[in-house]
Amino acid sequence: MVKQNISVYIRVRPPLPREIKEGTFENCVLASNQKIYVSLTGHPFIIEKDCENIPGVTIYQFDKVFDFDSTQEQIYDLAVEKVVKSVV
């Protein structure tokens, strides 16, 4: 039996067409490399150099984070393909 580690990947979803049309989408989440920054105020924020100390922003870290610009193909290639091949 081959032992493997479990990796946690997160994808920030893109806005829905309805959200764009209604103007109800405010991006309060930023995905960057292995971290997700979440605005607890419900308002967009700007990430600067010292992003670890932004008031009202919580940071979560994962093995890999995909932003809303990531394609299904990129996600498959980087996060899924190896798992599928190991199962099959």
Side-chain angles (χ1 to χ4, degrees):
M1 176 180 268
V2 177
K3 291 186 178 184
Q4 293 184 342
N5 294 331
I6 294 175
S7 298
V8 179
Y9 299 97
I10 300 294
R11 181 183 190 187
V12 176
R13 74 165 177 84
L16 301 172
R18 173 185 49 81
E19 293 170 326
I20 294 170
K21 182 179 177 183
E22 294 173 356
T24 58
F25 179 77
E26 285 190 29
N27 190 8
C28 299
V29 177
L30 175 73
S32 177
N33 195 19
Q34 293 179 301
K35 295 180 181 179
I36 290 183
Y37 301 85
V38 181
S39 171
L40 302 178
T41 63
H43 301 291
F45 58 93
I46 297 172
I47 295 295
E48 298 173 359
K49 286 184 181 180
D50 187 15
C51 54
E52 303 295 323
N53 297 315
I54 299 173
V57 173
T58 299
I59 302 168
Y60 301 95
Q61 186 160 346
F62 301 94
D63 293 302
K64 177 68 179 157
V65 173
F66 297 96
D67 65 10
F68 59 85
D69 291 333
S70 300
T71 65
Q72 291 293 96
E73 290 79 15
Q74 290 171 326
I75 294 169
Y76 181 82
D77 291 345
L78 293 171
V80 179
E81 184 176 27
K82 188 166 45 169
V83 174
V84 170
K85 286 182 178 181
S86 73
V87 171
V88 177

